[in-house]
Amino acid sequence: PLSPQELRSGRFWREVLAELAATLIFVGVVLGASAAPGPLAPALAGGLVAGGLVCSLGGPQANPALTLALLCTRKLSALRGAAGVLAQCAGATLASAAARAALPDDASLVTRVSVPIPVPLSLSPPRGTGQVCLPQVSAVGTAGAALAWETFATFQLALVAFAVAEHAAPQAGLALGSAVAAGALAAGPFSGGSMNPARSLGPAIVTGVWDDHWVSWGHPRTPPGSP
């Protein structure tokens, strides 16, 4: 239930601050690793930092998809959930702004569903680089395939997150980190493997690139066992 009394709780604000800090660290690490060629570096970096954050900050979601899943199962109050999502989006935006200032270009920032396909220079726009973004969602699929893979990857992440929360597994960091890395590697060729709307929103705000951004927010987030 909505409880304004939560705003007077120090624990409430500590948890919100943890969400902001965890999302900032997670997105910053993934964006830095994304500057390397290939999907392996960001997938491993995301898995490692997710596991580390679970052990160091006590298990913040750092992911609006997981926070909304907790809301759907009534494990969070509406106020706590809304504040958490806002903190996560703010943390992702701050990390993206810092990454844009540090990295040489915006190419590695956006979780791209659309990919640039090389075409002859005669077909490029004025002052172009010889590439235009054709109406192709990914190198290997369509918008439907991207949505399906993003849904699948986020589902397995939510499954692991709820399992370790229910059973208080001592290997929670390893389990969640593995789920993040596996989902990123599996869904990466189709949707970018974000599994985290904030990770996609922050770079989109900073760069202004919103191509097929709806895929990151359009998949169901209800976890297993919810009503």
Side-chain angles (χ1 to χ4, degrees):
L2 186 63
S3 176
Q5 295 297 327
E6 287 184 279
L7 295 176
R8 301 178 182 178
S9 168
R11 178 181 177 182
F12 174 88
W13 291 109
R14 286 193 299 271
E15 290 178 350
V16 171
L17 182 61
E19 292 294 342
L20 188 150
T23 311
L24 186 151
I25 293 170
F26 176 80
V27 174
V29 168
V30 173
L31 291 180
S34 297
L40 184 59
L44 290 178
L48 291 172
V49 72
L53 289 172
V54 169
C55 297
S56 60
L57 295 181
Q61 295 97 52
N63 186 335
L66 298 181
T67 301
L68 293 175
L70 290 172
L71 275 174
C72 290
T73 53
R74 301 180 182 180
K75 296 182 183 295
L76 281 182
S77 68
L79 185 59
R80 171 65 179 81
V85 170
L86 289 175
Q88 291 157 2
C89 293
T93 303
L94 290 174
S96 302
R100 189 183 192 191
L103 295 174
D105 55 53
D106 300 338
S108 62
L109 294 185
V110 181
T111 303
R112 289 188 179 275
V113 177
S114 296
V115 295
I117 308 299
V119 297
L121 287 172
S122 60
L123 299 180
S124 299
R127 300 178 184 177
T129 60
Q131 291 186 331
V132 295
C133 193
L134 297 184
Q136 179 180 0
V137 174
S138 74
V140 292
T142 63
L147 180 61
W149 277 97
E150 194 69 14
T151 300
F152 169 73
T154 308
F155 173 83
Q156 62 88 31
L157 175 60
L159 175 65
V160 173
F162 272 69
V164 298
E166 289 291 335
H167 301 292
Q171 301 85 11
L174 176 62
L176 284 171
S178 299
V180 169
L185 288 172
F190 301 90
S191 64
S194 173
M195 300 175 289
N196 188 331
R199 184 264 178 267
S200 299
L201 178 66
I205 291 175
V206 170
T207 63
V209 178
W210 297 89
D211 298 343
D212 294 297
H213 181 77
W214 63 271
V215 169
S216 297
W217 292 85
H219 52 80
R221 297 177 183 87
T222 304
S226 62

